[in-house]
């Protein structure tokens, strides 16, 4: 993708050292809250993908981003309907947890969950939330009903975790949607970028959370990258709408945590249904 166990501590032990990986909930985005906390970026696709317009909906505690899967496109007309949304807030030191049930799949799709500044790019940095764990995307991810991606960003490091839905090592606070988390007990991350050769405080500024789905685009459109039955990637995307029936995002939640003097123990949860 373009693209953290837990200890309950007595209050006397909650020193600045003990709270180094502790965060409290800032934004608990579920269902219709996506429409309040995100805005639609009605801009030409920066990666020159074959997309246009928007198509999304919320139902109960889930949010879905759909691509058009019925229209045959004219070669010189608008692209296939899809979505790019951007958080209204920006974040510096924080943890983002993405509870994803379904990710767009299919030839020519380019789904992404990432963070960057939408102005003055790339001078304020970009975090592509990636992992090498099996089942991180595509049919296997969706057959397992997805899982959780998480990213922690500080001035000293950037870490990324991924847990499949059925994994036995999913932190209880992640699975339950707790209002407080302690990333120090989340185990080894899938990716770790320490502040050794890049001064994160200098090169990274306030970033938005971005979720999008595009088709083809700069990378896939290079000669020789994508060839099916003699079609180039743009022609394939134009002429085969049915192959994009599985090209949709389904989110249970996006949660953003900030470091704060107030610390929520594991026993305090959001009391919301988690699929």
């Amino acid at each position: 993708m373009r693209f953290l166990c837990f200890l309950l501590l007595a209050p006397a032990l909650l020193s600045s050292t003990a709270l180094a990986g502790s965060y409290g909930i800032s934004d608990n985005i579920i269902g219709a809250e996506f429409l309040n906390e995100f805005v639609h970026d009605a801009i030409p696709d920066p990666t020159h993908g074959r997309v246009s317009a928007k198509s999304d909906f919320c139902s109960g505690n889930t949010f879905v981003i759909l691509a058009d899967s019925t229209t045959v496109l004219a070669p010189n007309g608008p692209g296939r309907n899809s979505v790019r949304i951007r958080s209204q807030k920006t974040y510096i030191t924080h943890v983002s947890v993405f509870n994803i049930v379904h990710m767009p799949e299919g030839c020519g799709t380019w789904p992404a969950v990432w963070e960057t500044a939408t102005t003055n790019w790339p001078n304020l940095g970009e975090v592509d939330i990636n992992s090498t764990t099996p089942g991180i995307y595509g049919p296997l991810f969706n057959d397992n009903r997805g899982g959780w991606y998480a990213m922690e960003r500080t001035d000293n490091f950037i870490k990324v975790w991924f847990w499949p839905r059925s994994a036995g090592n999913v932190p209880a606070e992640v699975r339950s949607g707790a209002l407080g988390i302690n990333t120090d007990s989340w185990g080894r991350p899938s990716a770790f970028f320490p502040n050794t050769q890049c001064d994160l405080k200098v090169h990274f500024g306030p970033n938005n959370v971005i979720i999008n789905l595009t088709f083809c685009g700069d990378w896939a459109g290079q000669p020789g990258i994508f060839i099916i039955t003699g079609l180039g990637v743009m022609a394939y995307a134009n002429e085969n709408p049915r192959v994009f029936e599985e090209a949709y995002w389904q989110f249970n939640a996006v949660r953003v945590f900030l470091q704060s003097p107030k610390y929520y123990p594991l026993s305090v949860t959001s009391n919301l249904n988690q699929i």
Side-chain angles (χ1 to χ4, degrees):
M1 291 177 65
R2 208 175 162 164
F3 262 160
L4 286 162
C5 179
F6 189 92
L7 296 175
L8 288 176
L9 301 176
L13 298 179
L14 298 182
S15 64
S16 58
T17 301
L19 288 174
S22 298
Y23 298 79
I25 192 73
S26 170
D27 301 286
N28 195 18
I29 306 171
I30 298 174
E33 282 302 306
F34 277 86
L35 304 179
N36 297 325
E37 298 296 332
F38 284 83
V39 295
H40 290 85
D41 273 337
I43 60 174
D45 180 26
T47 60
H48 307 102
R50 193 77 172 97
V51 293
S52 68
K54 67 178 184 179
S55 180
D56 55 37
F57 69 90
C58 52
S59 176
N61 288 343
T62 195
F63 179 73
V64 176
I65 295 176
L66 291 167
D68 168 56
S69 60
T70 61
T71 307
V72 175
L73 304 180
N76 298 320
R80 190 165 301 284
N81 285 358
S82 187
V83 176
R84 173 189 168 104
I85 60 174
R86 165 178 49 87
S87 65
Q88 301 218 42
K89 296 180 182 178
T90 58
Y91 306 96
I92 301 178
T93 296
H94 70 290
V95 176
S96 297
V97 179
F98 303 91
N99 184 345
I100 305 171
V101 178
H102 189 281
M103 184 185 300
E105 64 173 86
C107 292
T109 58
W110 188 355
V113 175
W114 52 304
E115 298 189 4
T116 193
T118 56
T119 58
N120 202 28
W121 180 91
N123 294 321
L124 296 179
E126 174 181 325
V127 181
D128 296 330
I129 301 168
N130 50 51
S131 175
T132 58
T133 305
I136 64 170
Y137 68 95
L140 182 57
F141 178 93
N142 295 331
D143 289 346
N144 291 332
R145 292 194 57 77
W148 292 265
Y149 274 92
M151 189 275 291
E152 180 179 16
R153 174 188 158 191
T154 73
D155 288 341
N156 297 317
F157 59 81
I158 294 172
K159 295 180 180 178
V160 176
W161 288 259
F162 171 68
W163 303 278
R165 183 78 51 191
S166 59
N169 65 334
V170 183
E173 58 200 21
V174 172
R175 187 182 292 277
S176 69
L179 301 181
I181 59 173
N182 186 335
T183 59
D184 288 342
S185 57
W186 282 8
R188 184 176 182 178
S190 300
F192 175 52
F193 303 98
N195 187 17
T196 53
Q197 299 181 15
C198 175
D199 191 334
L200 299 179
K201 190 172 183 179
V202 171
H203 295 290
F204 280 76
N207 280 190
N208 301 90
V209 177
I210 298 176
I211 303 168
N212 68 279
L213 168 60
T214 190
F215 305 101
C216 310
D218 293 333
W219 184 84
Q222 297 179 61
I225 295 296
F226 182 99
I227 300 175
I228 291 183
T229 64
L231 293 176
V233 64
M234 290 296 186
Y236 181 81
N238 289 342
E239 299 172 16
N240 297 275
R242 294 292 299 274
V243 302
F244 299 116
E245 290 180 348
E246 292 296 317
Y248 67 90
W249 285 105
Q250 182 179 348
F251 286 84
N252 278 350
V254 171
R255 295 186 169 92
V256 181
F257 298 83
L258 303 179
Q259 288 185 326
S260 168
K262 186 172 184 180
Y263 180 65
Y264 298 91
L266 177 61
S267 59
V268 180
T269 70
S270 61
N271 196 31
L272 291 166
N273 181 41
Q274 295 296 300
I275 299 175

